[in-house]
Structure formats: structure tokens, C-alpha cells
Amino acid sequence: MRTCLKASFVVGFNGSAHVLWRDAEVVFSGDTIEFVGHNFPGHVDKTVDYGHALISPGLIDLDALGDLDSGVLTLDNGSKLEMGRLWSEDYLRQGPRESYTDEEERFKYRYAFTHLIRNGITTALPITSMYYRAWAERYDEFASVVDIAGELGIRAYLGPCYMSGMTYVRQDRSLDQFWDEPRGLSGLEQALRFFRDFDGAHGCLVRGMLAPDRIETCTPQLLARTAAASAELKAPVRLHCCQSVYEFETVEKLRHATPLGWLEQLGLLTPRAILPHGIYISGHPGVSNKSDHDWRRLTGSGVTIAHCPAVFARTGEALDSFGKYRAAGINMGLGTDTWPPDLLHNMQLGLYMARVVEGGAAQTAMADLYNAATLGGAKALGRDDLGRLAAGAQADIVVFDLKAPHLGPFFDPLKNLLVAGRGTDCRASYIGGRSVMEDFEVCGIDMHALQDQANRQFEKLMASHQSRAFGNPPPERLFHPVFPWAS
């Protein structure tokens, strides 16, 4: 079937950059775009006219929230060392355990993927937290995640997270590392088995990736084997890196190199590497190593930085600076990482934070953030058929409605969306030519029932903090409202 989508605006691609079409159309057949522009000359079987709307390439989330986000629980609840966000030494001694059942683990992905689609994201590399797990993720649970992705129709790069260690809080409230290398190597073997079994599943909607957890929770052997596997399989590797002062100083102490220097030694600084978040590198004012060596590594390696501005802005941190990284030729992608799973929100915050850090508006433009969410993400994955609307590209297409009152007086489709829009202004989504959302509703999903279950499950997650915190305080002592409850 050949389908024609029409709208008052279309973001097309001219072979090198995005361009804006007025009163244009996008035509696709099967999973492939055939035409972008005016007056398609051939026959079409179906036409959908969205009116005052923007047809956009689907957004690519390189660090996609795949969870019921536990990160929001750190908001104004005091030190995470006291609230069970990290394992206490007592909890580690007793033996970590799962907070969710297998069914609840599956549900969190269904919930997360639904909301990613709802927010205009068509390609996702999901990330979940390990602190409420007994250890890392497993082959069998991710086999079911493949089926959820296929059912909902989201394009997903999947692989169970694996790690050799976990950061925990000692009795004196200092941080330390607990290690279990055999468990880490077993996790890598499960990840490789998963890649070989499921890379290309659901008509290549699901692709494999390697997902070691955090650089400070991995041993040299685990990352060396990951590097070799990535080279053999041509698999992307996403590794959280350069995201805290603690991580930077811990890696320097343990490995006698900066995080980026260590990755370079291991052969992991390649164009297949996707690194959230790339903030704390040598030369940053917050770290002890003041050299410019890491900057040279970033600019010469071809790695991608997955920029997630919202989650860091909450704690007063920011990349220094988006415009500087982009101008140096570093490939920049975007990620959500936290609730809301909204890349428009992250484009807005990313723009504003960049201009505050840079002291003006000259270095970072709106187009730079939009490019990161589309072309930058596609480049990170080695995909010149994603992140653009052009003949031959995958029919990953989203439609943003432009009629909502919160957008204000209309003056420019992308500027209105980036100033006042929300991901949930997405009205329709097509992934690989399949309609997965229409009229703001994700196909086959009862949103009220989904939210009711999420609320119940999140209460269980909050209650689990008690066992991980020192002294097992009840949840009402761990989580505080913005204002005290009236008596």
C-alpha cells in the first residue's frame, strides 16, 4: 500500500541537511519513503491530511527512559546516600534482591515504550536503573522485551545490561565499589547470546547493542572483551561515562587513566561508542586532572556523546558546552534518561542550558538540538536511513500538532514547538511504515489501565527503598512533599 501524508509543514532532507517545506507531502510504500515535496505524480492508495501540523522524521533517543523512573525520587529528598538510592553496606551484606516480579519487569518496558512512542520517539536505546535489582539484567527477561517492542512497533536497540560491580555506601557514608567479576563475565556472555539470537528480529525493527552499565562498575577484562565483541559483531556499545566527579576520580585511582583514556587503551573509543553523558573529562573544573588530553580523545575518535540535559539540570550540572562540542566535530545525540521521556523537553532545556553556560546565543542554535535528536542519533547508529525524511529512508515519521493553545500565537513550526511544545503534541507516528499511534492514542493501549498499574508498581518501588537505606527508615521519612502535610 502506498500512503501519502500531508500537512502544512514538512521537515525534509536535501541530501546534506534538513529543509522546511510548506504545504507538502510525504509518500511511503511498505517501510520506505518514496517522495517528499509537492505534487507526487504517482497513484496513492491512502491519503491522510493532518492540516495545521508538522511532519517530522521520528526522533532518536540514545539513552531512552526504559523504566518507571526512579531518578525523580531524588528530587529534594536529601542525600541519596541516606535514602536507599544506593545500596547501603548493611543491604549489601544481607544480599541484594529484586524489587519487582518478572511480570512487573516486563510491564515497566511496556509502559516506557508506550510513552516513548507517545512523545514522538521512533528509535530508542532503553536504559533502566540497576540499584533496585539483585544484579544486572538477564537474557530471558530481554527476550520478552523483544516481543514487547515488536508488538508496539517501536524501533529498539536492545541488549541486557551487564556489570562487574556496584557502587555502595559504607557505614561512614563514603562510597566504595563491590566486585563480582564472574557475574559480570556471565552477563556479557548472556548479552552476546542475546545479540546473536535477536539482532534483526521483527523485520529488523529490533537490533542488538552491547550495554555495559557504567564505566566505574566494569573491570578491565569485561570491557576488553566488550571491545573485541563490538569489533567482531559491528555492534554499537553504549556505556555511561564521564557523568560524575566520583566516577572520574574512581577510574583514575583504579585504572591509572581518565575514563576516556582507559577506554582508548581498551579499544572502545570508536565510532560505535555511544557515551552518555560526556561532562566530566580532564580539564573540567570539578576534576583533579587539568590536562586537555580527554578533549583531544573526544575530537579524534568519532564517538557519540548522548546528551541528556534535563536529568543533569535538576542537580545544577550542565555540559560545557554543547556548542563547543558540536563545533569541534564531536557527534552529538540526545537522550531522555528520566521522566518525562520527552525529547522536545530536552531540546528546550539543552538550548537554554547551553546558552547560559556559553554566555550568549551565538554558539548553539535550535537547529543544533533538533539535528542531535535526528541526524546525530542516526549517525551514532551508523544508519543513513533514519533521522531524515527522504526517498529511500525508513518510513519513521511523526506528526506534531500545531493547534494546541499552549503553543501560543503561531509564527514558525519548529520554533513554536521548541519554545512551548511538549512531546505529547505528537499526534501520529509511523515506524517502518506501520501506524503505531493515531489521534494521540498509541495503538492497542488502554492508557488509563496502563497508568493505574504504573501507580501501583511505583508505590512498591518506593517502599523498597526502606531495605536499602541505613536503619531501614519507613518511606514517609525518606520521601518528603514540597510543603509539609497539614496537621
Side-chain angles (χ1 to χ4, degrees):
M1 174 181 267
R2 179 180 282 159
T3 302
C4 175
L5 308 181
K6 294 183 175 183
S8 51
F9 301 96
V10 172
V11 178
F13 185 74
N14 66 7
S16 59
H18 291 309
V19 292
L20 196 60
W21 290 82
R22 187 186 294 275
D23 297 322
E25 54 197 38
V26 178
V27 178
F28 63 91
S29 180
D31 64 358
T32 306
I33 294 171
E34 293 186 40
F35 176 85
V36 178
H38 297 134
N39 304 316
F40 177 66
H43 167 78
V44 297
D45 300 290
K46 179 182 179 181
T47 298
V48 184
D49 191 340
Y50 288 103
H52 190 46
L54 175 74
I55 299 178
S56 165
L59 305 181
I60 300 172
D61 190 339
L62 296 178
D63 207 37
L65 176 63
D67 224 331
L68 303 183
D69 180 31
S70 56
V72 295
L73 295 176
T74 62
L75 282 168
D76 294 353
N77 277 321
S79 170
K80 66 180 180 180
L81 305 186
E82 301 290 346
M83 61 168 294
R85 174 68 179 170
L86 298 175
W87 293 358
S88 70
E89 190 171 4
D90 291 341
Y91 178 75
L92 179 60
R93 189 179 300 114
Q94 295 162 10
R97 52 193 178 274
E98 298 288 354
S99 299
Y100 290 156
T101 65
D102 287 347
E103 181 180 349
E104 289 168 335
E105 283 291 332
R106 288 190 292 271
F107 171 78
K108 76 180 187 186
Y109 277 101
R110 181 178 300 279
Y111 182 85
F113 287 173
T114 298
H115 280 280
L116 291 169
I117 292 171
R118 183 69 191 83
N119 281 272
I121 292 160
T122 56
T123 299
L125 282 64
I127 177 69
T128 70
S129 178
M130 296 298 110
Y131 84 97
Y132 62 82
R133 305 297 307 267
W135 196 249
E137 293 163 333
R138 307 186 309 271
Y139 172 95
D140 57 335
E141 69 182 74
F142 255 68
S144 65
V145 175
V146 170
D147 292 335
I148 294 169
E151 176 193 337
L152 292 173
I154 193 168
R155 191 179 301 280
Y157 280 71
L158 299 177
C161 168
Y162 51 92
M163 61 194 190
S164 314
M166 177 66 87
T167 302
Y168 72 98
V169 188
R170 297 170 63 90
Q171 292 287 349
D172 64 2
R173 302 316 192 257
S174 62
L175 298 180
D176 205 349
Q177 303 298 113
F178 169 77
W179 299 104
D180 188 341
E181 181 160 66
R183 212 168 185 179
L185 295 174
S186 173
L188 172 58
E189 290 307 311
Q190 291 186 62
L192 295 177
R193 177 187 167 203
F194 177 88
F195 188 99
R196 294 185 174 104
D197 287 352
F198 294 106
D199 182 47
H202 295 287
C204 282
L205 202 64
V206 172
R207 299 298 304 270
M209 72 169 175
L210 299 176
D213 182 41
R214 298 164 176 250
I215 190 171
E216 76 271 28
T217 62
C218 295
T219 58
Q221 187 177 13
L222 187 72
L223 289 185
R225 290 190 182 184
T226 296
S230 172
E232 176 193 347
L233 300 170
K234 302 296 185 286
V237 178
R238 190 194 54 206
L239 174 61
H240 283 67
C241 180
C242 309
Q243 65 174 331
S244 72
V245 173
Y246 173 78
E247 171 223 290
F248 186 98
E249 303 297 348
T250 298
V251 170
E252 274 222 313
K253 178 181 177 182
L254 292 174
R255 315 302 173 202
H256 309 293
T258 69
L260 291 181
W262 190 37
L263 293 185
E264 183 179 55
Q265 293 172 21
L266 292 165
L268 273 169
L269 275 191
T270 76
R272 292 186 299 277
I274 300 169
L275 305 180
H277 300 271
I279 296 175
Y280 292 96
I281 64 175
S282 67
H284 188 283
V287 304
S288 57
N289 188 323
K290 303 304 181 184
S291 75
D292 66 351
H293 296 163
D294 281 351
W295 183 250
R296 297 207 300 270
R297 291 180 177 110
L298 275 182
T299 56
S301 61
V303 303
T304 294
I305 296 297
H307 182 40
C308 307
V311 71
F312 279 91
R314 287 177 183 168
T315 55
E317 299 168 280
L319 186 72
D320 180 26
S321 70
F322 187 94
K324 173 185 172 184
Y325 277 52
R326 183 194 58 77
I330 298 167
N331 187 47
M332 302 297 291
L334 281 188
T336 52
D337 200 328
T338 187
W339 187 268
D342 181 349
L343 280 180
L344 280 184
H345 175 60
N346 278 274
M347 288 183 221
Q348 293 162 355
L349 278 178
L351 179 71
Y352 298 160
M353 294 299 293
R355 290 181 172 184
V356 169
V357 168
E358 293 158 7
Q363 278 188 268
T364 302
M366 287 183 172
D368 298 329
L369 277 301
Y370 183 84
N371 285 338
T374 52
L375 301 174
K379 183 176 180 180
L381 299 171
R383 299 286 299 266
D384 59 7
D385 61 342
L386 298 179
R388 69 209 70 199
L389 300 183
Q394 284 287 302
D396 288 9
I397 305 163
V398 294
V399 182
F400 287 101
D401 189 74
L402 296 174
K403 298 185 292 293
H406 64 257
L407 292 173
F410 180 78
F411 63 105
D412 177 279
L414 277 169
K415 287 182 180 179
N416 275 90
L417 285 170
L418 291 180
V419 167
R422 309 163 186 160
T424 51
D425 287 317
C426 187
R427 175 178 170 180
S429 177
Y430 300 81
I431 303 178
R434 172 185 169 185
S435 175
V436 300
M437 182 173 74
E438 192 61 69
D439 291 329
F440 304 101
E441 297 289 337
V442 177
C443 298
I445 294 294
D446 181 337
M447 293 296 289
H448 294 293
L450 194 79
Q451 190 60 43
D452 286 345
Q453 184 171 344
N455 290 339
R456 292 191 298 270
Q457 193 162 315
F458 204 68
E459 288 179 3
K460 183 177 181 180
L461 175 64
M462 293 176 69
S464 75
H465 276 245
Q466 181 173 354
S467 64
R468 289 186 296 274
F470 285 102
N472 302 124
E476 58 267 23
R477 283 176 48 198
L478 292 173
F479 306 115
H480 312 293
V482 174
F483 299 113
W485 296 109
S487 56

